[in-house]
Amino acid sequence: MTTSAPDPFAVWLPLARAHKTILTAVETALKQAGLPGLDWYDLLWELECAGDTGLRPYELQEKLLLPQYGVSRLADRLARAGYLTRQDCSGDGRGQVLLLTPEGARIRAQMWEVYAAAMEPAISSHLSTGEARRLAELLGKLLRPAPADKI
Amino acid sequence: MTTSAPDPFAVWLPLARAHKTILTAVETALKQAGLPGLDWYDLLWELECAGDTGLRPYELQEKLLLPQYGVSRLADRLARAGYLTRQDCSGDGRGQVLLLTPEGARIRAQMWEVYAAAMEPAISSHLSTGEARRLAELLGKLLRPAPADKI
DNA sequence: TGAATGTCAATGCATCTGCATCTAAATTCC
DNA sequence: GGAATTTAGATGCAGATGCATTGACATTCA
């Protein structure tokens, strides 16, 4: 053991800053296009991936890292906008299944155009392909279950 | 030109997820310690760096990437808590200077302990020193002014 | 079976945020 | 100098969030 322990702030500070910068750029682009925000996109995308079987709110909670009431109210807004429907859950009287509507799929597709377009200048233009790959890989390491050994 | 353009989402998705995970961990630790959130910390830290000359709200706005009203109201809360003082700005009758109070410095120091302790398991334990250095470097690239050439 | 406990989802309340607007002072321009 | 414009900061209002709690159903276990 010779190398010093990594300074977490040397990672965290630029990570937080990059996140805020990119997020702001995307949200601004969406707003300017008269479209909903990224939180709506994320939920719609998960529903789209889930297909006809839909998703339970608690599943979205895990996938989106949102608190329970966050999913509940986000789903409210999306339902009021007509982008999803709540359906009683056969087999669990407490629960429900959220299903994407065609309008939901349509708006998600529209949002995707703007989203992807905003990513280019925010990310792609700053990195070579190799750098992007390496960055993605290193960020992935932060997401793995805690190592238990190191430090 | 042979390599394909980098996929920005391969970077953005883990970046956003890592951000949320780490942020939640830190905020949870702070809350559990009965301390204010990271937004308070960031402002207090900038004031501490600024020293006796303090900072103008519009300077904080740039440093913290917050909207104007965000700084205005965050400063309100910190002032009400006794962690900073607003002082009329000599030379600009519209403006003011924000100054850290001793209590502000003290709470920031307390927060730092918890903040740093939460970083270890969230970041350091996942990366070697070399990986952390490389990750910090790559994240830094995302923050540089737009290249104008690429893409 | 039925009481105790656990899980799914909604909601009241206080706080925070975003947007637009407002006031006051500074600067520009004639 | 004085009107028009710009800049610094505050704020009313609507909508979003966090926290704690509630209501309804499921599950466990005696």
Side-chain angles (χ1 to χ4, degrees):
Chain A
M1 279 307 98
T2 53
T3 62
S4 57
D7 172 16
F9 287 92
V11 171
W12 171 242
L13 296 182
L15 169 50
R17 206 168 182 80
H19 179 264
K20 190 179 286 195
T21 303
I22 297 166
L23 186 69
T24 301
V26 177
E27 294 285 16
T28 300
L30 287 169
K31 192 154 300 180
Q32 194 175 313
L35 292 167
L38 271 190
D39 47 351
W40 287 39
Y41 183 89
D42 291 339
L43 199 156
L44 291 172
W45 174 242
E46 292 296 341
L47 284 190
E48 189 150 343
C49 292
D52 293 343
T53 59
L55 284 174
R56 300 284 300 267
Y58 75 86
E59 293 176 303
L60 281 163
Q61 198 176 321
E62 292 162 10
K63 286 177 189 292
L64 302 177
L65 304 181
L66 288 175
Q68 179 267 319
Y69 55 81
V71 173
S72 177
R73 296 206 260 225
L74 181 52
D76 266 356
R77 283 170 240 141
L78 284 158
R80 257 183 280 128
Y83 296 151
L84 63 78
T85 55
R86 299 166 184 268
Q87 197 177 284
D88 281 351
C89 183
S90 68
D92 189 340
R94 299 165 300 184
Q96 62 190 238
V97 174
L98 305 182
L99 288 163
L100 194 64
T101 63
E103 301 84 58
R106 200 154 33 71
I107 197 83
R108 194 209 61 78
Q110 281 184 256
M111 291 178 76
W112 166 256
E113 298 296 327
V114 177
Y115 191 179
M119 281 291 114
E120 285 295 324
I123 294 188
S124 304
S125 71
H126 292 263
L127 301 171
S128 72
T129 302
E131 287 168 339
R133 213 190 322 269
R134 181 74 176 131
L135 178 51
E137 182 191 344
L138 289 169
L139 288 167
K141 293 204 176 207
L142 291 178
L143 294 170
R144 286 205 249 291
D149 53 314
K150 305 191 47 174
I151 291 292
Chain B
M1 282 306 98
T2 52
T3 62
S4 58
D7 172 15
F9 287 92
V11 171
W12 171 241
L13 296 181
L15 169 49
R17 206 166 182 81
H19 179 265
K20 190 178 287 197
T21 303
I22 297 165
L23 186 69
T24 301
V26 177
E27 294 284 16
T28 300
L30 287 169
K31 191 154 300 180
Q32 195 175 313
L35 292 167
L38 271 189
D39 47 351
W40 288 38
Y41 183 89
D42 290 340
L43 200 156
L44 291 172
W45 174 242
E46 292 296 341
L47 284 190
E48 189 149 342
C49 291
D52 293 343
T53 59
L55 284 174
R56 301 283 300 267
Y58 75 86
E59 292 176 302
L60 280 163
Q61 198 177 320
E62 293 162 10
K63 285 177 189 293
L64 302 177
L65 303 181
L66 288 175
Q68 180 267 320
Y69 55 80
V71 174
S72 177
R73 295 205 260 225
L74 181 52
D76 267 355
R77 283 171 241 141
L78 284 158
R80 256 183 282 127
Y83 296 152
L84 63 77
T85 56
R86 298 166 185 268
Q87 197 177 284
D88 282 351
C89 181
S90 69
D92 190 339
R94 299 166 299 185
Q96 62 191 236
V97 174
L98 304 182
L99 289 162
L100 193 65
T101 62
E103 302 83 60
R106 200 154 34 71
I107 197 84
R108 193 210 60 79
Q110 279 184 257
M111 293 178 75
W112 166 256
E113 298 297 327
V114 177
Y115 191 178
M119 281 291 113
E120 285 294 323
I123 295 187
S124 304
S125 71
H126 292 263
L127 301 170
S128 72
T129 303
E131 287 168 340
R133 213 189 323 268
R134 181 72 175 136
L135 178 51
E137 181 191 344
L138 289 168
L139 288 167
K141 293 204 176 206
L142 291 178
L143 294 170
R144 287 205 249 290
D149 53 312
K150 304 192 47 175
I151 291 291

